[in-house]
Amino acid sequence: MTVTRPRLAPLYLAGFTTAFGAHGIAAALGAETEDIGWTLLAFGFTLALYDLAEVLLKPVFGALSDRIGVRPVIVAGLLAFAAFSAVGALVPGTVGLIVARFGQGAAASAFSPASSAAVARLTDGASRGAYFGRYGSWKSLGYALGPLIGAVLVVWAGLPALFWALAALGLAAAAWVRFSVPAVPVLPRKRVTLADLGRELAAPGFLVPTLVLAATTGALAVAVGFLPLLARQAGFGTVASMALVTVLAIVSSIVQPLTGAWHDRGRVSVRLGAIGGLALIAVGIGVAGGVALASGTMQAGMLLIVALLTTALLVGAGVGLATPVAFSHLAASTPEERMGRTMGSAELGRELGDAGGPLVAGAVGTASVPGVGLIVVAALTAGAGALALVGMRRRS
């Protein structure tokens, strides 16, 4: 069925909420670490809880949305997100933060894949790319604005103010979804064995777009982490360093809906969007790696900031190009009765990329120098693009 934009707008807010919750809290916790008195290990563990919950639970809640419907799972997840955000505001100390962080991640595990499934189910092939582009655009805005809004709220009234803002956002999104998003009928499903599930996950229609999404997210996580680090090491201030991440996210939020609309009109094919996007990301990360290798001889100045800004622009454009076509291809290749399970599994792939990219860059960089770690990530991204190209050729 084809729907108008207002019916999907609540789903965009849900996507914004999970991105805002992930990056806004992470940035705020980093600013508050000294006051809380954490060790570096405890700080890292608390940050990872959100992603850990998503890795464990996204496929579970995605499958649940196929059984009971996507709207109940989205609404329940947003309400749980609001409740755990209130816990973070009301319960002081490390225990409250750990419970809130894991609970928010578990809640996002419910409404994030269910929202993707709802976008897929409520659109058709003629408009799906545009709507996935808008959904991804609002997520990118959450990634970009989360740290900025979080910093303002923490400076204004402390960490509880940020948790209360997230609680209010979760409640507002839940109410909007409940009363504005149309109910999506639950479709009959056949009994699935482990062998059936294995065949589904190995099918090119799932494996190729999930590989693209995982590679895109992994490289994005590397850029978000390393761009400010390189800028700070070169002597730029905190504001200028964080502005690079904001530029990346804003470019992605602009490119995604445009790419989705062009894909629907036949101007951007899945192959062009996915392979071209990964190529742009690989070049961008490669530029950052070159900057890191040359940082010993390169003085902080216009050349350096232009190089880092080029990386932000290329990675943002690459993410914006690859993400909507990959999601649209994934949705078009999936039977509607198991859309939630497929989206949950694909989101799991993205989370693994999100964790794996920085781990590879950090491990290789520690064993050698940071620039080599970034160049390895660039090579792996290009390799993922080559594998995706081969997979698409075989399917066609």
Side-chain angles (χ1 to χ4, degrees):
M1 65 187 77
T2 304
V3 297
T4 58
R5 183 174 181 178
R7 289 191 174 185
L8 293 186
L11 301 178
Y12 306 156
L13 182 59
F16 178 88
T17 299
T18 184
F20 183 13
H23 279 209
I25 290 293
L29 290 180
E32 293 284 295
T33 299
E34 293 183 2
D35 295 334
I36 297 171
W38 281 333
T39 64
L40 187 59
L41 179 61
F43 173 63
F45 173 74
T46 304
L47 287 181
L49 281 174
Y50 194 99
D51 293 324
L52 177 62
E54 290 193 306
V55 167
L56 293 174
L57 296 175
K58 273 188 172 180
V60 175
F61 284 118
L64 180 64
S65 69
D66 290 332
R67 289 179 174 273
I68 67 174
V70 291
R71 190 172 67 180
V73 174
I74 297 171
V75 172
L78 287 166
L79 291 175
F81 184 88
F84 281 108
S85 298
V87 169
L90 294 172
V91 179
T94 304
V95 173
L97 288 171
I98 289 175
V99 172
R101 186 73 178 168
F102 186 82
Q104 285 180 325
S109 302
F111 68 79
S112 182
S115 295
S116 299
V119 173
R121 291 285 308 278
L122 291 169
T123 56
D124 57 21
S127 61
R128 187 172 288 133
Y131 285 114
F132 268 119
R134 292 168 187 165
Y135 179 72
S137 175
W138 278 95
K139 267 197 168 183
S140 294
L141 287 176
Y143 290 134
L145 298 179
L148 299 177
I149 298 175
V152 170
L153 290 171
V154 169
V155 170
W156 172 57
L159 194 58
L162 176 55
F163 276 115
W164 282 125
L166 289 170
L169 186 61
L171 285 175
W176 199 9
V177 170
R178 172 61 184 83
F179 295 107
S180 296
V181 174
V184 180
V186 177
L187 300 175
R189 298 175 303 112
K190 68 176 184 178
R191 185 177 181 85
V192 178
T193 66
L194 289 177
D196 293 331
L197 181 60
R199 283 191 291 269
E200 291 174 8
L201 297 180
F206 173 84
L207 202 57
V208 172
T210 301
L211 173 64
V212 172
L213 291 170
T216 300
T217 306
L220 174 62
V222 170
V224 167
F226 278 80
L227 282 178
L229 176 64
L230 293 175
R232 289 286 290 170
Q233 288 179 346
F236 293 99
T238 301
V239 174
S241 301
M242 289 303 298
L244 291 169
V245 177
T246 301
V247 168
L248 187 158
I250 290 175
V251 169
S252 175
S253 70
I254 293 172
V255 173
Q256 285 199 56
L258 292 175
T259 300
W262 292 336
H263 173 63
D264 292 336
R265 296 169 189 162
R267 297 179 181 177
V268 176
S269 66
V270 174
R271 183 179 298 176
L272 175 61
I275 310 307
L278 288 178
L280 289 176
I281 294 170
V283 172
I285 298 295
V287 169
V291 168
L293 289 175
S295 60
T297 57
M298 186 183 295
Q299 299 296 319
M302 183 59 68
L303 181 60
L304 179 58
I305 197 65
V306 167
L308 294 177
L309 184 60
T310 298
T311 295
L313 292 171
L314 288 174
V315 173
V319 170
L321 193 60
T323 302
V325 298
F327 266 119
S328 182
H329 182 61
L330 184 66
S333 305
T334 302
E336 290 194 345
E337 65 270 14
R338 57 178 172 89
M339 190 69 71
R341 184 171 77 237
T342 297
M343 289 298 175
S345 299
E347 290 279 358
L348 172 59
R350 295 186 79 191
E351 293 299 329
L352 293 176
D354 193 20
L359 284 176
V360 170
V364 175
T366 300
S368 52
V369 292
V372 175
L374 292 174
I375 290 174
V376 168
V377 171
L380 290 174
T381 304
L387 289 174
L389 179 59
V390 171
M392 289 177 185
R393 281 179 176 172
R394 286 179 178 175
R395 189 163 187 243
S396 59

